[in-house]
Amino acid sequence: MSNVYYLPSHEYARIEGNTAYIGISRFAAEQLGNVVYVDMPEADDDVTAGEEFGAIESVKAASDLFSPVSGAVIEINEELIDNPRLINEDPEAHWIIKVEMSDKSELDNLLSPEAYAEHCKSEKH
């Protein structure tokens, strides 16, 4: 069973215990192209499942970022402040925010890796 879940808007949540590492999928990173800026919340901010928590900008476009889960931001990935292109290199390794989840049952509303792969295929057409 996977510990990674997705929103249709291409954010992932990698779950370790009660902590969610949230970032964008490889598909999203490829669609965006070279990432030039990531707007992140502050540590201790709250995020809500399905609601905007920041934005990501590339040379091609800007996109809002939506949280797959609700909870408190316990850490932001400070490496991305100076080097947002790390997301292009490996979006799964370079998460954007780390969240202490307040309701693990929200994971039931997210896409499995298999369902997400199907969703991406439908977007390519």
Side-chain angles (χ1 to χ4, degrees):
M1 186 164 153
S2 175
N3 67 330
V4 181
Y5 301 83
Y6 296 88
L7 279 172
S9 54
H10 306 291
E11 293 83 5
Y12 69 80
R14 187 178 78 243
I15 308 304
E16 293 181 11
N18 205 43
T19 302
Y21 294 80
I22 297 171
I24 65 167
S25 69
R26 184 166 302 285
F27 179 86
E30 289 168 0
Q31 297 297 308
L32 278 170
N34 292 334
V35 174
V36 295
Y37 178 72
V38 183
D39 179 35
M40 297 176 271
E42 300 287 323
D44 295 327
D45 282 358
D46 288 331
V47 294
T48 303
E51 292 191 10
E52 185 182 328
F53 72 83
I56 189 164
E57 294 178 23
S58 71
V59 293
K60 292 199 290 190
S63 298
D64 290 333
L65 293 167
F66 296 91
S67 184
V69 297
S70 300
V73 177
I74 50 178
E75 188 179 338
I76 64 168
N77 189 342
E78 295 195 8
E79 285 186 306
L80 300 179
I81 295 168
D82 294 327
N83 194 358
R85 294 207 42 198
L86 290 170
I87 289 176
N88 295 109
E89 293 170 18
D90 189 346
E92 279 88 20
H94 297 288
W95 48 271
I96 297 170
I97 60 173
K98 191 161 49 167
V99 172
E100 185 74 28
M101 292 184 293
S102 58
D103 183 0
K104 223 169 173 180
S105 71
E106 291 174 338
L107 298 174
D108 297 339
N109 302 324
L110 301 174
L111 299 174
S112 67
E114 298 76 23
Y116 178 71
E118 288 300 313
H119 173 71
C120 291
K121 281 184 200 168
S122 71
E123 284 204 355
K124 285 184 179 179
H125 298 298

